[in-house]
Amino acid sequence: MTVLAAWLVIAAILLFGLTLHRALVLRLNRGVNPSFRDGTDLLLSGVLPGLALVGGLATALGAIHLLRVEVVLPLAAMLMIWRRDDVLAIFGDLRNLAVMGGRATAKGNPFPLLASAAFIGLTGVMSVTALFPAGSADVWAFQIPLAQSIVSHGGFVTPQIDSNFYGNIPLFFNVLFASALLIVDHWLAAGLMNVAIFLGFLLLLTSCAHRWRAAGLLLVFYLIAFQPFFTPGAAVPLTALPRSCFSVAAVLFLWRYLETGRPSEIVSCALLLGGAVGGKYTELQMVGLVGLALLPSIYRGKMPFSLFLTCLAAFLSLAGYWYVKNLIVLGNPIYPFVFGHPGLSDQWMADYRLELGRAFDPANRVFVTDLTTRQGWHDFFFILHDWFLDRRRYAIVALILIIGALLASFRRIFVLVATTTAMFIIWYAVMFNHIRWATPAYLLYFSTAYIGASLIVEKIAASSAAQPGGILFEMSARLRQGQRAVNGHLFAFAVVLVTLVVFCLPAVKFMSRPKRQPYSWMEQGTMDVLIGRQKLDDFLGAQREGYIIYRYVAANDLRIVFQPFDTGSTLYAAAYTGGRDKGWLLPTYPESESDVDAFIERNHIRYFIRVTQKQQLLAERIGAAKFALAEKTISRMLPESTLLLKDGFGWELYRFNGFPPQ
């Protein structure tokens, strides 16, 4: 029921955002004929700009501490009533999209039905995987607490959480998380907001094709959704993937503006760019790249000055608050970099810059990132091949499509290819510490491949119409005649068969080899949950250390539980119980062996967790001295304790009955 409630809230947010976006498009494109391509395009391309507008409005409310249910709901209702014609038009576009798909399917075109099934299937799978609590401590230490802090304060405070660094960085995506958490107070709502952003990006990319969008959606799924780089993080409430989606979407809207000249496209680009920059400092690089791409249009006078000012206002309305706030409060708009870091020691900043400036994995520190040297370029191309191309069929297909598009429509694809290249270069030269920092560049790479495929199709269609003849066009004509001869059914069967082989063959293999996951982006055991072979609680209990113990602690509201062996105990206990820590666990240690009895009494310890496996690993993780103190404390309580529960990872929960009277 939590999944359904969260999706209903997010659907309402999406409808509100689409309404705002449609109203903005009609106003900006006034006098442009046509003002937009068609209702389907406006529907598919409006999800991310709509969410950007929602985030901007929520930021404005949060700045004055009015991001509260009693304010947000009436305000949203009034705006929806005011723009009721746009709301009705959106539902009309949805109805028309369904009608067109039904008619095409009835005529023997299988693509709309296949695309709909793939979209619904992917949404369902990600909705289930969103139920799996994230294994990343950053989710529970920073992202969810930041969103919850925004909700509890009705807006923004300084710092937002008890961390001078994470409490003062741009929080645009945490504001979007908070918008969902306002209604559904569970971390699942934040995860599904990420899913909505990811799916909205896929729909935007699909809408960039001028024809065959249903078939295009299948290609988008093949290139992006069904490969292991992006989808595993789509349902995890971290900001890396949504930030990348916003950043790359801004480039796609830039390309659409250069193609059509419609003002709404470049303003949408500015909105998404503002959201990306409002989510992380690193996206400031994209401002420079978009500005460089627009320079020729500005220089030639193709972009009116009034439109430039509108874009600037749209960008600042989303990104400006975080930088102005930090400038006023901390004296540094990009705190804690360049201009100073009050509240953080010089040593902390030195260590942090060292961490950012070198590869996390020591094995990768041998690569030269100085691109003023020959070795630097050699290592750059080696990394591109080894990390992003080698043994990756999706990436090879994408490269072929990009090369084909450069040959077919060099001028139209050049901006995307150049931006992709620049992003990879910036990542390697400046941020080469982990492959995840290259997510925007890699996502734009596959997006460019899809645009390239659509341009190739357009080129073939235009050449066929202008110059009938030739063996390629003759074969195409014969295929079309054969399709018409069998009323399309044989063609439809062939398309369905190929699609099922491409997308479902891994699942078929899974049925014969159930111990392997059908798709590499799925966590081990996910398919068992999806097909009902295993319950979610049983799956998490079998896959996650401490899950059964922490769930029991929360269900019975046990206090105080001594847990010295899990450094993220309070984070994961909250993760497994809805996202909030109610003070169940005590992760601290006695000061010394002589302090053990006093420590137990002082903290009113009534329960404790003992771990009987991986003792050496635990000692290395928490330190030998702390491990010895933990063992001493537990050995002191163990004779007077009762075993309550144990799991398959060697975790045991005991109730301490108290020291016997002297």
Side-chain angles (χ1 to χ4, degrees), residues 562 564-565 589-590 592-597 599-600 608 624-639 659:
F562 180 53
F565 302 116
Y589 305 84
S592 63
E593 290 190 11
S594 60
D595 183 50
V596 167
D597 285 6
F599 172 79
I600 295 170
F608 63 89
K626 288 183 177 180
F627 182 80
L629 281 173
E631 287 286 276
K632 179 69 175 179
T633 305
I634 287 176
S635 65
R636 183 74 177 87
M637 292 186 288
L638 194 60
F659 294 124

Side-chain angles (χ1 to χ4, degrees), residues 383-393 395-396 442:
I383 288 294
L384 284 185
H385 175 264
D386 190 59
W387 288 19
F388 300 103
L389 287 175
D390 191 29
R391 300 180 302 279
R392 292 169 174 82
R393 64 179 183 275
I396 297 299
Y442 208 32

